[in-house]
Amino acid sequence: MRFTIYQESRQGGRANNEDRTAYSYSRDALLMVVADGMGGHRYGEVAAQIAVQMLTDLFRQEAQPLLADPFRFLHQGMFNAHRAILDYTTRYRLEETPRTTCVACIVQNDVAYWAHAGDSRLYLLRGGRVMARTRDHTRIRLLVEEGFINETQALKHPDRNKIYSCLGSPAAPEIEFSRKTPLERGDILLLCSDGLWGVIPDKKISVALGGASLPRAVQALLTQAETLGGARGDNVSAVVVRWEQSYAEEADNSIFTQTMALDEVTSQIDEFGRSPAYKSDLTEDEIEKAIDEIRAAIDKFKPGK
């Protein structure tokens, strides 16, 4: 595989950053994840951390170097994260269950597979156009699909952030899967939280990501989203990959996996409470305790446990 990938998360106007992003790759498979801890629910950042860690840990275990069944992997990883969040709630006697949206994508053999629960999105961009986009699990999306309101009205609707599927809810999540989607060289996959797509139209996103430098394009988009969101704006997060057209293009940022060992996996995930991008009001002792609690919740639902 040969690709350029970049991820970043911004706090926006919120007191804490409850978004989490991650990616992992073996020699022949790539995983990308964005989780958005739901505002208004206690420990949203914990739920998001459990989701991204569960998926990356499972990927490290099963990508040897290909996944046997990408759709089964996505279902198992997201559902196990859901169960781990519920177990965390019970074990620590929380008054309210932490919840998170989640969108995850696997690419192997030049084919993309993705799944999501909630309103974190995946875009497939080709030639400056949106070729595919996930369907938000929100009440407002249902109104748009039934013709009661249009896209412009949806962006400003007061109920636009009310979702009906997520990880951590007492009800089982509705996990929606894509079709097997072959990729072409130069295709871009964007996974992002609603802090980005909620303030920047799809067309502007697709045009912005068509530039030569993917990292600079993503940084500019996140800065624009923060500015448009203002003092009360949401967290803004994205993971973006471009399937490379040539080895020489943007060589400093390209990843070429053919020299990796068959059992080698590389991951990029920030540990809970350790990255300045994910500001928390927890003390050092509370962060250490939370890390141990998250790890215990994840380990319980790993295959073979």
Side-chain angles (χ1 to χ4, degrees):
M1 299 187 300
R2 186 178 295 127
F3 56 89
T4 296
I5 193 164
Y6 182 79
Q7 68 175 3
E8 188 173 340
S9 184
R10 305 274 185 91
Q11 185 176 333
R14 298 294 173 87
N16 293 316
N17 191 344
E18 295 184 312
D19 288 359
R20 292 295 186 273
T21 66
Y23 65 83
S24 294
Y25 57 90
S26 65
R27 195 190 70 173
D28 295 328
L30 168 68
L31 164 71
M32 297 165 285
V33 191
V34 169
D36 180 354
M38 294 173 59
H41 295 285
R42 190 179 182 190
Y43 297 129
E45 66 269 31
V46 169
Q49 189 79 29
I50 289 174
V52 298
Q53 282 193 213
M54 177 66 78
L55 283 157
T56 53
D57 284 0
L58 187 61
F59 182 85
R60 187 178 297 109
Q61 179 177 332
E62 296 196 0
Q64 300 294 327
L66 287 168
L67 295 171
D69 184 339
F71 284 133
R72 183 202 61 80
F73 168 87
L74 290 168
H75 181 269
Q76 181 181 12
M78 292 178 71
F79 195 76
N80 282 0
H82 170 71
R83 294 168 63 201
I85 294 167
L86 294 180
D87 181 74
Y88 183 95
T89 303
T90 302
R91 182 182 301 184
Y92 300 107
R93 300 179 181 179
L94 303 184
E95 295 180 0
E96 190 172 12
T97 308
R99 306 178 192 188
T100 185
T101 68
C102 186
V103 59
C105 180
I106 293 291
V107 181
Q108 63 180 34
N109 293 327
D110 297 318
V111 175
Y113 310 74
W114 60 82
H116 77 289
D119 62 354
S120 291
R121 286 184 180 178
L122 179 144
Y123 292 85
L124 169 59
L125 310 175
R126 179 175 297 159
R129 297 176 56 194
V130 177
M131 303 301 295
R133 191 191 80 182
T134 50
R135 182 179 66 93
D136 305 330
H137 295 152
T138 63
R139 298 173 185 176
I140 299 309
R141 175 51 47 187
L142 296 177
L143 292 177
V144 171
E145 292 175 355
E146 293 170 3
F148 290 107
I149 62 174
N150 59 36
E151 293 284 357
T152 301
Q153 292 170 322
L155 287 174
K156 299 181 180 180
H157 198 284
D159 292 337
R160 65 187 180 278
N161 293 324
K162 293 183 178 180
I163 67 173
Y164 60 80
S165 177
C166 64
L167 308 185
S169 171
E174 177 182 318
I175 300 174
E176 188 170 342
F177 297 88
S178 69
R179 297 179 178 180
K180 294 172 63 175
T181 305
L183 297 180
E184 298 179 4
R185 291 181 180 178
D187 280 356
I188 292 174
L189 289 164
L190 162 67
L191 286 69
C192 64
S193 62
D194 63 332
L196 178 60
W197 67 256
V199 294
I200 301 180
D202 291 1
K203 180 61 177 177
K204 289 187 177 181
I205 291 174
S206 61
V207 171
L209 292 177
S213 173
L214 195 65
R216 286 198 293 270
V218 176
Q219 291 164 10
L221 270 177
L222 297 188
T223 298
Q224 184 180 2
E226 279 191 305
T227 300
L228 292 172
R232 300 180 65 182
D234 203 352
N235 307 145
V236 187
S237 303
V239 180
V240 188
V241 66
R242 180 170 61 207
W243 227 235
E244 290 295 350
Q245 293 188 10
S246 68
Y247 181 67
E249 182 180 8
E250 208 168 3
D252 289 344
N253 298 302
S254 295
I255 294 172
F256 183 54
T257 64
Q258 289 307 110
T259 58
M260 294 176 68
L262 292 177
D263 60 350
E264 182 180 355
V265 173
T266 297
S267 299
Q268 179 61 46
I269 175 173
D270 290 315
E271 190 172 36
F272 185 88
R274 299 304 187 199
S275 170
Y278 304 107
K279 182 181 177 181
S280 176
D281 55 7
L282 299 176
T283 65
E284 283 295 318
D285 288 343
E286 289 172 329
I287 289 173
E288 291 293 342
K289 182 180 178 182
I291 291 172
D292 291 340
E293 291 172 350
I294 290 168
R295 174 52 58 194
I298 291 170
D299 287 345
K300 183 175 180 180
F301 292 95
K302 281 185 176 181
K305 293 290 185 179

